[in-house]
Amino acid sequence: MTKQFGWWFFTCGNQVLVIPQGERIPYGDIDDLPVPMLDFSAAERFASYKGEACLRLELPEVVDMGMGEWLELRTTMSLLNAALFNLVGKAQQFALFLQTHKFCGRCGNALVRVDWELAMQCDHCGFRAYPRISPSIIVLITDGNKVLLANHRRHQKQDMPIYTAIAGFVEAGETLEQTVHRETREETGLKVKNVQYWKSQPWAFPHSLMAAYFADYAEGEINIDRRELADAQWFDASVLPHLPPPGTIARDMINHWLSQQTE
Ligand SMILES: [Zn+2]
């Protein structure tokens, strides 16, 4: 039996076990952790962190693990560092992939796990399935010391509506830059120029990959898509609305832009 030592990512659907100490992910030899008698033989190494194995185990139901508490992934964003938050997302996406790819989408036979990469294969017809990753863009549109921020319908009900950057999923056959232009046009009625890639963030809700762009306003009047947005406005750098929480790439982009405004 292989040594079961490392960082333990216990997941159950969209929940993860977080402990109150240290980096907040259980660490050590499974025999030394105060966990109940469960079958840990199915634990799988899926990554490494600080030179040690990351082991994931998806549990069929939430059980008292003798330590810590079960939290939804979204809640852990403010508790874990960015690397561990992404690893929890990775563990959950692996579990979701295995749960939702049990049968071949082409011929209907059972799929089997391949052992050299994360994939499920049909031994009958040869079809192979990989975890689904949905690329999307997020774009912060600025015009001098003003920034365009939108309140999405899904954020509208909160007491303090969150205003954030424009975002949307990439469609089949599109480049990321084409998505930036299309989403901006569709959601705000504006045209942009000087579209610049900045960085990316995996976003496990449930399987996105966000590519972040900065863009300059080119032309047009704000004319929002009311199916997606409740409001969109130009905000002065000195008077910003309620922003998305730290840890989101949207907040990082806004902070990055602000830091350049004060220089
Ligand atoms: Zn098949």
Side-chain angles (χ1 to χ4, degrees):
M1 188 173 146
T2 54
K3 188 177 158 194
Q4 292 196 301
F5 182 93
W7 301 91
W8 286 89
F9 293 76
F10 297 111
T11 61
C12 182
N14 68 352
Q15 301 197 72
V16 60
L17 187 81
V18 173
I19 57 172
Q21 314 86 22
E23 303 218 53
R24 311 201 68 158
I25 294 295
Y27 173 75
D29 192 313
I30 195 64
D31 293 332
D32 297 333
L33 295 175
V35 291
M37 292 292 286
L38 297 172
D39 179 11
F40 293 103
S41 64
E44 174 183 33
R45 179 178 178 151
F46 71 99
S48 62
Y49 177 70
K50 293 190 171 177
E52 297 290 351
C54 293
L55 300 141
R56 61 163 204 92
L57 184 65
E58 171 78 3
L59 300 178
E61 58 188 17
V62 166
V63 293
D64 181 356
M65 293 297 285
M67 57 178 175
E69 59 179 329
W70 290 96
L71 294 176
E72 286 193 10
L73 176 60
R74 207 173 274 275
T75 311
T76 67
M77 187 165 57
S78 59
L79 301 175
L80 302 173
N81 68 43
L84 285 172
F85 176 68
N86 286 344
L87 285 166
V88 172
K90 185 172 187 166
Q92 290 193 345
Q93 286 179 83
F94 277 25
L96 179 67
F97 167 68
L98 296 174
Q99 285 167 356
T100 55
H101 291 79
K102 293 179 176 171
F103 297 95
C104 178
R106 182 188 283 157
C107 76
N109 277 284
L111 295 179
V112 292
R113 182 85 188 260
V114 301
D115 58 8
W116 64 91
E117 61 181 350
L118 184 65
M120 297 290 281
Q121 179 164 291
C122 177
D123 287 342
H124 185 71
C125 77
F127 177 80
R128 193 178 295 168
Y130 294 91
R132 181 172 164 189
I133 299 169
S134 303
S136 56
I137 63 86
I138 181 161
V139 55
L140 193 71
I141 302 163
T142 61
D143 185 11
N145 67 342
K146 293 195 184 310
V147 61
L148 184 87
L149 297 172
N151 173 225
H152 288 253
R153 289 218 165 271
R154 63 179 181 277
H155 294 147
Q156 198 184 8
K157 292 194 183 83
Q158 295 159 352
D159 297 339
M160 297 251 284
I162 290 175
Y163 279 79
T164 187
I166 299 300
F169 285 105
V170 178
E171 291 183 349
E174 262 182 346
T175 66
L176 296 167
E177 290 76 15
Q178 286 172 328
T179 311
V180 168
H181 288 288
R182 178 181 55 74
E183 285 289 339
T184 302
R185 197 175 57 244
E186 287 176 0
E187 294 201 359
T188 69
L190 303 179
K191 287 188 176 175
V192 290
K193 61 186 180 184
N194 302 332
V195 173
Q196 296 286 331
Y197 174 73
W198 188 47
K199 64 179 183 179
S200 63
Q201 181 185 43
W203 194 242
F205 303 102
H207 40 60
S208 294
L209 173 64
M210 309 279 285
Y213 286 82
F214 288 97
D216 291 335
Y217 166 76
E219 60 177 274
E221 297 290 323
I222 294 176
N223 179 18
I224 61 170
D225 177 356
R226 299 220 165 260
R227 288 168 300 183
E228 298 270 338
L229 302 182
D231 185 33
Q233 296 180 37
W234 290 106
F235 290 93
D236 192 278
S238 61
V239 192
L240 290 175
H242 188 43
L243 299 175
T248 59
I249 201 164
R251 183 60 173 268
D252 285 355
M253 294 180 86
I254 294 165
N255 288 348
H256 180 74
W257 175 74
L258 278 174
S259 71
Q260 294 181 321
Q261 295 302 299
T262 51
E263 280 168 6

